[in-house]
Structure formats: C-alpha cells, structure tokens
Amino acid sequence: MTKSSGFVPSLQVGGGLRLGRSHITLNYDLAQHTNSHYPRGWFLGFSTFF
C-alpha cells in the first residue's frame, strides 16, 4: 500500500458520551479513502472543554 500527501476525502459519522466537561466518541469514516488517517474506518475521539 502506497500513501501520498494531498487532499483526502472523508465522511464521518459517530456518537458519543458526555462525562462532565469531556466527551468520548466512537466514529466511523464512511469514505474509507486509501490515504485516510483511519484505514480501518473506526476510531475513538476524546475532547475536554475548559
């Protein structure tokens, strides 16, 4: 598998759980482009708000 730099299309859907001032999400990349950062499609997200 060869990867190159440039524009990579992405269409993501997901859902999450809010825990106080932070969120944990489970997301899926529907586009699944060859050069995607998420080659398996599924990825976790975490965010905190100050």
Side-chain angles (χ1 to χ4, degrees), residues 8-43:
V8 177
S10 180
L11 177 60
Q12 301 172 2
V13 296
L17 177 64
R18 181 177 178 177
L19 303 169
R21 292 175 26 192
S22 53
H23 294 120
I24 298 173
T25 60
L26 179 61
N27 305 291
Y28 186 75
D29 184 5
L30 296 172
Q32 293 193 355
H33 190 272
T34 305
N35 293 335
S36 174
H37 291 285
Y38 315 107
R40 292 186 206 109
W42 294 101
F43 61 98

